[in-house]
């Protein structure tokens, strides 16, 4: 696949960046250089969060998710998994770096806000489009592990909190908005828990207030 095609795929995947299993068991990748890189950015965000006094407890691991369009995962107690592929691309390309910063801000926000998973999965939700909910199998979890995604309201709350962290760090909210604009341009609706339009509308409203 050429670089343009790979870039488009990675931009499409952002909507699926936040979920919470009941237990850990995600396949990981050992790469000390990339793990330090992700940890440095993560702790930069933690330093402006409500968990600033707990920074030493944060663990950032590189994940080999079975479903390649999942970028991040917060399981509570300052434990966060980030896609190895996203980390690798962000290390080399500043455009992906904004995607990584977004993912980390969202997952740290989930950790701060607490795990508030959605109701148990309904088999009828396993369809295309907005009902294409992420499953434990998509994360590489054992079938014995109970998994539930964050609710839509929890995702929107994490977006709001993540944008607050970005503002404190002086990172332009315009980058955050453009991530979702890119999805819309590609016709990507997201899933039942990560609706592109709602997240974009909220980001535009918040960015407008921050910029005024």
């Amino acid at each position: 696949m050429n670089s343009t095609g790979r870039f488009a795929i990675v931009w499409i995947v952002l909507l699926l960046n936040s979920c919470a299993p009941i237990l850990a068991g995600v396949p990981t990748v050992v790469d000390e250089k990339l793990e330090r890189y992700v940890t440095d950015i993560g702790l930069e965000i933690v330093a402006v969060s409500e968990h600033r006094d707990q920074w030493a407890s944060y663990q950032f691991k590189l994940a080999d998710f079975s479903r390649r369009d999942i970028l991040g995962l917060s399981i509570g107690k300052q434990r966060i998994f980030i896609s190895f592929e996203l980390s690798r691309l962000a290390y080399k390309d500043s455009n992906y770096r904004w995607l990584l910063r977004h993912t980390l801000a969202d997952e740290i926000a989930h950790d701060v806000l607490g795990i508030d998973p959605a109701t148990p999965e309904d088999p009828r939700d396993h369809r295309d489009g907005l009902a294409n909910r992420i499953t434990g199998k998509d994360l590489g979890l054992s079938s014995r592990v109970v998994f539930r995604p964050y609710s839509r309201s929890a995702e929107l709350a994490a977006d709001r909190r993540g944008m607050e962290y970005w503002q404190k760090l002086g990172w332009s909210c315009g980058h955050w908005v453009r991530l979702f604009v890119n999805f819309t341009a590609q016709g990507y609706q997201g899933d039942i828990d990560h609706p592109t339009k709602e997240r974009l509308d909220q980001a535009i409203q918040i960015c407008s207030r921050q910029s005024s």
Side-chain angles (χ1 to χ4, degrees):
M1 181 181 297
N2 62 36
S3 59
T4 302
R6 184 179 62 185
F7 183 81
I9 289 174
V10 173
W11 280 108
I12 287 174
V13 303
L14 176 63
L15 287 193
L16 306 179
N17 73 347
S18 301
C19 308
I22 301 304
L23 299 172
V26 178
T28 56
V29 176
V30 177
D31 187 314
E32 293 183 0
K33 177 185 68 177
L34 286 181
E35 192 168 300
R36 285 196 303 270
Y37 172 69
V38 170
T39 297
D40 287 345
I41 298 176
L43 291 180
E44 188 176 7
I45 298 170
V46 170
V48 299
S49 77
E50 297 82 349
H51 279 183
R52 61 181 65 85
D53 295 335
Q54 302 178 44
W55 68 271
S57 299
Y58 270 85
Q59 299 177 46
F60 298 91
K61 299 297 182 181
L62 306 180
D64 184 23
F65 297 123
S66 295
R67 181 166 157 177
R68 298 304 179 183
D69 58 359
I70 299 173
L71 300 185
L73 173 71
S74 171
I75 64 172
K77 297 183 179 180
Q78 294 79 57
R79 294 170 296 173
I80 292 172
F81 295 90
I82 296 296
S83 162
F84 168 74
E85 180 65 8
L86 172 60
S87 304
R88 187 183 68 80
L89 293 170
Y91 187 80
K92 298 179 178 180
D93 188 324
S94 61
N95 290 309
Y96 290 100
R97 203 164 301 144
W98 289 112
L99 188 58
L100 175 61
R101 287 167 173 164
H102 177 286
T103 303
L104 282 165
D106 245 21
E107 301 310 333
I108 291 167
H110 276 304
D111 188 71
V112 168
L113 294 170
I115 293 179
D116 177 25
T119 54
E121 298 175 47
D122 184 337
R124 293 171 299 178
D125 285 338
H126 292 280
R127 302 187 298 272
D128 294 333
L130 285 175
N132 186 21
R133 176 169 283 166
I134 298 169
T135 68
K137 182 179 179 181
D138 295 329
L139 300 169
L141 296 171
S142 165
S143 60
R144 297 188 299 272
V145 176
V146 177
F147 170 80
R148 291 180 293 171
Y150 282 111
S151 65
R152 180 182 299 206
S153 61
E155 292 296 342
L156 292 171
D159 278 359
R160 290 193 296 271
R161 191 64 58 90
M163 291 188 75
E164 291 176 11
Y165 301 155
W166 269 40
Q167 184 181 31
K168 292 178 180 179
L169 288 164
W171 297 345
S172 172
C173 57
H175 290 293
W176 190 295
V177 171
R178 279 191 288 275
L179 294 173
F180 290 108
V181 168
N182 190 276
F183 293 139
T184 301
Q186 296 183 56
Y188 191 72
Q189 300 180 62
D191 67 19
I192 193 169
D193 305 306
H194 305 77
T196 306
K197 187 177 186 306
E198 283 188 47
R199 298 181 81 185
L200 171 59
D201 289 347
Q202 176 178 264
I204 291 173
Q205 292 174 4
I206 293 173
C207 192
S208 178
R209 291 198 300 269
Q210 290 180 354
S211 302
S212 61

